[in-house]
Amino acid sequence: RVHGTCAHVRAHARAQGVHRMAKRKQGVVVRAAGGGASAAAKEAALLAPPTPADGAEGEEPALSAEPAAGAASSGPARKKKRRNKPDGSATAAQDAAPASPASPTPASASTAPAEAAAGAAAPDSAAAAGAACGDSLEWLCWPLGSKKFLAEHWEKKPLHLKRQRPAYYGEVFSKAALDKHLAEGTPLGYEDRLNISRFDEKTGKKVVLNLGPRGTKVCPKDANSAWASGASLQVMHPQQFHEPVWRLLTNLERSFGSLFGANAYMTPGGRQGFAPHFDDVEVFMLQVEGAKRWRLYEPPAGEEFPLPREYSRDFEQAELGEPVLDVLLEAGDMLYLPRGYIHQGIAAEDAGFSHHLTVSTYMKTAWCQLMERALSSAVEKAAAESEEFREGLPLGFLRYMGSWHDKTDVPENGGSAAVGAPSSGSTSAGIAAPRAAFIRRFQGLLKRLQEFVDLDEVCDEMGIEFMHERLPPAPASAGLGGGSAASAVEGVTLDARVRWIDASAQRAMLSTDPETSEPTVMLFHSRDNERDGHMSGAALADAEAEVGCLRFEAAVFLPALRALLALPAGASLRCGDLPLQDADDRVALCQNFLEAGLLELTPSEPEAQASAV
C-alpha cells in the first residue's frame, strides 16, 4: 500500500510524461507470488486490450435518461443576444419522485415510481446499491429529466423546478438539525462552519455579526439571540458533520465526476441575507424549508459573462437592470444558476423563515484551465527534448518587437489600417523583415508545441487531485460494506465473490516504477480521505497532502485489474475467475483490496438464497 503527495505526482508527470510516484512514504508494491515476468511479457501486458470480467452482472448506471414526457417546457433555447429573459420554470406532475441520494438506504423494489400523469415514469432508484450514483442527477433535476437539463440549461440558462412537494428533500438538513448540533457541542467555529450576518439596506452591504475570530466555537445562546433579532445564519460545509449531506454530496460527486460543495442559508421572514452577487460555480439551490423570492440578473457591462472564471464583487441595486427571472422558491423546489448570473433573495414574510441548501460544482473545470495545464507541461517537455525551444531569442529583438512597432495599430488620421500594413512612423522597412521572421518563428514553435501535449497526462493529474480532494465514501447502505476488514481478509478463498464498496472511489493509472523502471498500475483512491476537511481552503491548498494509492506490477496484475475495474456498480466477481496464472495471486489481490477497504465479500448464491428464506 502506497501513499504519495499531490506535489510529487505533478512533478513526475511533467518530468516523465506520465504520472509516476516520486517516492513511497509507506507500504509495499504488490508483486506476483511466482516471481518477475520477462520484458516481453511486461510490454504485452501494457498493450493488452481490456479483459471482460467473468460473472459481471448488470449494466453501468446511466448518467442521463430521457426527459419525463409532459414536463412543462423550460422555454426557447438561449439566444446569443444578452437580456433575453429565460422562461426557466417546470412543474412536477403528481407522480412518485426518485428516492433521495441523501437517504441511508435505497427505496425497496416494491416502491417503484408510478406512471407520471403524462405517461412517463420518474427514475427508479430502487435497483442495486450502485444505481443511486446514476440516479443522483435524475433526482436533482426531476421531473425535467437529465438529458433535457444538460442539453438546455447546464452552463446556459437558469431553471426553476416547482415540484409542489414540500418534503422532497427529506431530512437532508434543517434548522432543527443545526440547533441540535449546537446544543450537543458539535464543533462549529465562526468562519469555518458558521457565519452570522445581516444585510444593511441603507448601505447595501452585508454586516458580519460573528462574536469572535476565525475558529471560535459558536455558543448556542449567541446564535439563537442573533437569529431572534433577524440575523441570517450561513452554515458552511455541513457535509463535514451532518451525515445526510455527506451522503448527498458523495452521490453527486460520483455522478458528476467533480467536487461538490454545500452551504446552508437560513434567513428570517422578510429579510435579505446577502448583497447581490454572482458565483464562479454551477449552483443548485434546494429549498428545504420555508420560501424565498429570488430575482436573477445578467451582470452589468464590463463583467466577464457568461461563465466567469472568478467570484464577483457585491453589486449595488442601481447597477442591476430588469431581472431575467423572478420566482418564489418554496419547500421542495430547486433553482439552478449557471455561473455568472447575479442572484438576490428575500425570505418570504408569511413563511416564517427560509432555509435553502446550496450545492455547487465545476469550479475551475473549464477548457481554459485544462489548456493552461496542458500547455505548461508541453513547454517543459519541448524544452527538455528539443534544443530548438532552448535557442536564444534573436539579438536586438526588442528594437523591432513591441506595441510601438505593431503593423496593425490605427493611423493618427482616424482612418482604418489594413491588417498587416505598416502604420506611418511606427515601423520602417529596415525592421519589417526581422519582425516578420520573429513572428513566423514563434508561430512555428507554437504549432510544433502540439506534439508535446499529453491530454491523458493532464487528465490523470486532474483525476488524482479529484480523488484526493473528494469526500470519502459515505457509510454503507443496503447491506454494503459491512463487517471488519480483518475477518473479510481471512475469509478470502478462490470461491469467494467480491465487489467494489464504491466503484467510483478509485482511479487507475498506467505508469512506470521510478525505482525499477518496470511498468506498473497505480490505483488512487479516496477511501482514506478526511471528511472533516472536505472543501475547506486549507485542505485544497495543501499540495503536500497524502493521497491513497496502491501499486501493482503491470506484467502480472494488469488483466486482473482490468477485470475488476470493468465491474458495473454492485456487480460481483468470483476470486478464482480473476485472469491470473497463480491461484495465490488471485487470493492475495482480493485480500489487498479488502484490507484497503475498497472491496467487500458478497454472499455466494446458496447463502443468498438461504438468507432470503
Side-chain angles (χ1 to χ4, degrees):
R1 214 170 154 187
V2 181
H3 291 266
T5 68
C6 290
H8 293 149
V9 171
R10 283 195 290 269
H12 278 258
R14 297 188 176 111
Q16 302 182 40
V18 293
H19 287 285
R20 297 155 174 86
M21 298 298 281
K23 66 179 180 179
R24 289 166 288 172
K25 293 203 165 191
Q26 58 184 5
V28 295
V29 177
V30 181
R31 301 190 184 279
S38 65
K42 294 171 183 175
E43 182 69 19
L46 280 177
L47 299 177
T51 305
D54 295 334
E57 304 165 354
E59 297 180 348
E60 287 277 1
L63 188 66
S64 298
E66 289 296 331
S73 170
S74 58
R78 179 186 174 95
K79 299 179 181 179
K80 295 296 182 181
K81 184 180 178 182
R82 290 165 60 103
R83 300 295 178 192
N84 281 326
K85 181 176 180 178
D87 179 18
S89 296
T91 303
Q94 296 303 312
D95 57 303
S100 168
S103 302
T105 307
S108 66
S110 62
T111 59
E115 289 293 313
D124 181 7
S125 57
C133 69
D135 286 341
S136 296
L137 178 57
E138 290 296 333
W139 172 84
L140 195 63
C141 60
W142 182 83
L144 185 68
S146 61
K147 279 189 175 180
K148 191 175 183 68
F149 168 75
L150 293 173
E152 298 183 6
H153 293 275
W154 176 252
E155 291 191 323
K156 298 180 183 72
K157 61 181 180 180
L159 170 67
H160 173 214
L161 289 178
K162 192 171 185 62
R163 296 194 176 101
Q164 299 176 342
R165 297 187 176 214
Y168 187 81
Y169 299 116
E171 296 298 322
V172 62
F173 197 49
S174 65
K175 176 65 166 60
L178 173 62
D179 292 341
K180 183 178 179 182
H181 280 292
L182 287 168
E184 293 178 349
T186 300
L188 304 180
Y190 287 117
E191 296 187 48
D192 291 330
R193 288 182 173 172
L194 187 67
N195 277 327
I196 303 175
S197 64
R198 64 177 176 84
F199 181 74
D200 190 327
E201 295 182 359
K202 293 181 179 179
T203 63
K205 303 293 183 182
K206 179 182 73 173
V207 179
V208 178
L209 303 175
N210 293 344
L211 299 178
R214 186 186 189 97
T216 302
K217 189 175 179 180
V218 180
C219 178
K221 68 175 184 179
D222 293 335
N224 293 335
S225 175
W227 175 258
S229 68
S232 294
L233 306 178
Q234 179 191 20
V235 186
M236 294 169 291
H237 317 306
Q239 71 274 16
Q240 295 180 0
F241 59 89
H242 193 67
E243 190 169 300
V245 183
W246 178 15
R247 291 183 187 282
L248 172 61
L249 263 60
T250 297
N251 281 306
L252 290 173
E253 288 185 339
R254 184 186 299 129
S255 288
F256 283 74
S258 61
L259 291 175
F260 259 82
N263 288 326
Y265 300 88
M266 303 175 186
T267 305
R271 300 299 180 99
Q272 177 176 334
F274 297 90
H277 67 279
F278 64 71
D279 297 309
D280 57 349
V281 287
E282 302 300 301
V283 170
F284 299 86
M285 293 182 181
L286 317 183
Q287 189 69 28
V288 181
E289 300 172 284
K292 179 174 279 191
R293 181 182 181 184
W294 285 99
R295 294 183 179 94
L296 310 185
Y297 309 84
E298 289 186 356
E303 299 289 341
E304 190 173 60
F305 180 82
L307 307 179
R309 291 168 292 171
E310 302 293 339
Y311 181 93
S312 81
R313 61 184 173 86
D314 289 345
F315 294 97
E316 296 181 4
Q317 195 66 41
E319 297 180 89
L320 307 179
E322 290 297 315
V324 297
L325 196 64
D326 187 345
V327 297
L328 180 66
L329 207 61
E330 297 178 297
D333 292 356
M334 189 275 284
L335 181 62
Y336 163 72
L337 306 178
R339 55 193 187 272
Y341 275 89
I342 297 173
H343 42 284
Q344 179 183 34
I346 299 178
E349 187 79 50
D350 57 357
F353 74 98
S354 168
H355 167 209
H356 74 272
L357 180 71
T358 291
V359 295
S360 58
T361 189
Y362 254 56
M363 175 181 285
K364 302 193 182 303
T365 316
W367 280 104
C368 60
Q369 277 102 25
L370 176 76
M371 293 180 71
E372 185 178 7
R373 290 171 179 256
L375 295 178
S376 175
S377 175
V379 169
E380 286 193 35
K381 286 187 216 170
E385 298 179 22
S386 173
E387 68 173 284
E388 188 177 13
F389 286 86
R390 302 193 302 269
E391 290 178 0
L393 297 171
L395 293 174
F397 73 94
L398 293 178
R399 290 199 294 268
Y400 51 82
M401 293 305 301
S403 60
W404 184 255
H405 308 291
D406 186 3
K407 297 178 181 181
T408 60
D409 58 355
V410 180
E412 294 179 3
N413 60 10
S416 59
V419 175
S423 58
S424 58
S426 64
T427 306
S428 67
I431 63 175
R435 178 182 174 85
F438 187 97
I439 294 172
R440 284 195 303 273
R441 179 68 183 279
F442 176 83
Q443 291 173 340
L445 291 173
L446 189 62
K447 185 176 181 179
R448 196 181 163 210
L449 190 63
Q450 297 179 58
E451 303 171 18
F452 300 92
V453 172
D454 189 336
L455 286 177
D456 286 324
E457 169 196 311
V458 177
C459 291
D460 268 338
E461 180 178 333
M462 295 176 72
I464 293 166
E465 289 179 357
F466 171 54
M467 203 56 58
H468 159 60
E469 295 168 0
R470 68 181 296 188
L471 279 165
S477 60
L480 294 183
S484 68
S487 61
V489 169
E490 294 173 0
V492 176
T493 65
L494 290 176
D495 289 326
R497 296 191 69 85
V498 295
R499 63 183 171 192
W500 297 111
I501 293 176
D502 182 346
S504 76
Q506 49 272 335
R507 178 182 176 85
M509 187 185 79
L510 293 173
S511 185
T512 302
D513 191 303
E515 298 175 0
T516 66
S517 298
E518 294 181 345
T520 61
V521 177
M522 303 177 71
L523 197 79
F524 296 89
H525 63 84
S526 60
R527 176 66 177 78
D528 298 331
N529 288 1
E530 294 292 335
R531 169 192 173 197
D532 288 350
H534 182 253
M535 294 303 290
S536 64
L540 295 177
D542 188 1
E544 291 298 323
E546 291 185 351
V547 53
C549 178
L550 303 176
R551 190 194 308 251
F552 304 89
E553 277 188 299
V556 177
F557 291 100
L558 183 58
L561 291 170
R562 280 181 165 155
L564 282 169
L565 291 170
L567 284 174
S572 64
L573 179 68
R574 181 177 172 271
C575 179
D577 292 336
L578 286 170
L580 287 168
Q581 292 183 354
D582 193 290
D584 290 340
D585 286 343
R586 299 173 200 165
V587 172
L589 181 62
C590 292
Q591 287 177 329
N592 191 268
F593 281 129
L594 283 160
E595 187 179 6
L598 302 177
L599 280 182
E600 66 175 352
L601 293 176
T602 65
S604 61
E605 289 186 11
E607 291 174 343
Q609 292 172 359
S611 62
V613 173

